[in-house]
Amino acid sequence: MPRLDPEQQAALAARVNYYRDLGVFDFYRRGDAIPESAPVLAAVEAGAEESMPKKSSIAPPQELFVAGTPIAPEKREGALKAIREDIGDCTRCPLAFAGRHTIVFGEGDPNARLMFVGEGPGADEDAQGRPFVGRAGQLLNNMITAMGLQREQVYIANIVKCRPPQNRTPEPVEANTCSQFLFRQIDVVRPEILVALGSTAATYLLGGKASLSSLRGRLHEARGSKLIVTYHPAYLLRDPRQKKEAWADLQIAMAELGLKAPKRPAGV
């Protein structure tokens, strides 16, 4: 039997962990007889995966599983907590074993009209368990303030919730495994405007890869929200000349939200 390359091994490990989270622990080769004592696996083989029982430490609100049905504002905080409980001490992808200290779930107003999505946690975020708290986070705070809002009025999350080693770009198996929880967060909050911070966030929110320059300056759609693409604050720290371009992107969001632009946006 040929050996799997590292990427295939990581993808297989993520898939095995996924089935373990569903309560599936025995695996059989295609064509083998499945014991009658393995009803869950039989359901998988029959293509009835959605009917399998979900293994979870809590009973999440029913609204989480009704596609397209909005959750009442007063229930959104509880729904987000249910998603976090569902994540648990996650080992679904290789990032769990790559030096992670803390899962960075996301934070902000469960009823926010505006949501920012970045790539993944850095060292400061991994240490504190909060998104965007380092130097890039300070700049993001300035950007939010310049829009006439406070950080507590928006919602902030990332494509992946564990820090990639050396802050590298998340591998596809990592981002695809983890983004399911981000999508559930978006579905709960239901922001009017999503802001993708950087190309990685844009790629996974839009479901395809394109240059940042081709995506900026116009509205897109993602999970029922209007989506705007702009530079990641970490990039703006490396190239401050692009802050004016980022501010132009944020003004598109402000126009959609009916916010008035301050005359002199400080720190942006």
Side-chain angles (χ1 to χ4, degrees):
M1 179 180 295
R3 294 180 61 86
L4 301 177
D5 61 41
E7 183 173 348
Q8 290 173 323
Q9 292 178 21
L12 179 60
R15 176 58 60 178
V16 170
N17 285 331
Y18 167 74
Y19 281 120
R20 284 177 177 171
D21 286 336
L22 295 176
V24 180
F25 298 95
D26 297 319
F27 298 89
Y28 301 83
R29 290 178 300 179
R30 186 176 297 276
D32 288 352
I34 301 174
E36 294 182 1
S37 59
V40 174
L41 190 60
V44 175
E45 187 70 20
E49 186 170 325
E50 291 183 359
S51 67
M52 294 190 298
K54 302 296 187 294
K55 185 178 181 181
S56 178
S57 60
I58 62 170
Q62 183 65 30
E63 292 92 335
L64 285 178
F65 301 98
V66 182
T69 300
I71 296 177
E74 66 273 12
K75 295 184 178 180
R76 291 177 185 174
E77 183 176 0
L80 290 171
K81 289 181 179 179
I83 298 172
R84 178 62 186 92
E85 290 290 338
D86 193 25
I87 293 174
D89 187 18
C90 186
T91 58
R92 293 172 177 84
C93 89
L95 288 181
F97 313 101
R100 174 195 78 195
H101 291 95
T102 311
I103 292 174
V104 182
F105 179 67
E107 67 178 27
D109 184 355
N111 298 300
R113 300 175 64 203
L114 176 64
M115 180 172 177
F116 291 90
V117 177
E119 178 177 296
D124 293 312
E125 291 76 17
D126 181 54
Q128 298 185 40
R130 299 179 57 207
F132 284 92
V133 292
R135 290 185 62 218
Q138 294 171 12
L139 179 54
L140 178 60
N141 290 345
N142 290 340
M143 296 163 68
I144 294 170
T145 301
M147 300 176 73
L149 298 170
Q150 299 298 316
R151 180 181 171 110
E152 295 76 16
Q153 293 177 282
V154 305
Y155 198 86
I156 305 173
N158 285 300
I159 295 295
V160 296
K161 304 190 182 306
C162 299
R163 181 193 180 193
Q166 288 76 52
N167 292 346
R168 63 161 171 74
T169 301
E171 298 290 344
V173 66
E174 299 161 353
N176 287 323
T177 300
C178 198
S179 59
Q180 59 172 306
F181 298 107
L182 170 68
F183 296 157
R184 288 168 64 183
Q185 288 172 285
I186 295 172
D187 292 346
V188 169
V189 178
R190 296 180 67 88
E192 295 175 38
I193 299 293
L194 278 168
V195 177
L197 299 170
S199 59
T200 299
T203 295
Y204 289 96
L205 286 172
L206 290 171
K209 192 169 185 178
S211 67
L212 207 66
S213 59
S214 69
L215 297 174
R216 290 184 52 250
R218 57 194 177 94
L219 290 170
H220 306 269
E221 190 275 336
R223 305 196 72 81
S225 299
K226 296 177 182 178
L227 173 69
I228 293 167
V229 178
T230 192
Y231 297 106
H232 194 286
Y235 175 80
L236 297 177
L237 291 174
R238 297 192 298 269
D239 188 358
R241 297 171 299 176
Q242 303 302 324
K243 287 184 178 181
K244 290 183 179 179
E245 298 298 324
W247 178 240
D249 296 330
L250 296 182
Q251 286 180 307
I252 299 174
M254 293 168 65
E256 291 296 319
L257 294 171
L259 300 175
K260 294 183 178 180
K263 293 183 180 179
R264 297 178 60 183
V268 180

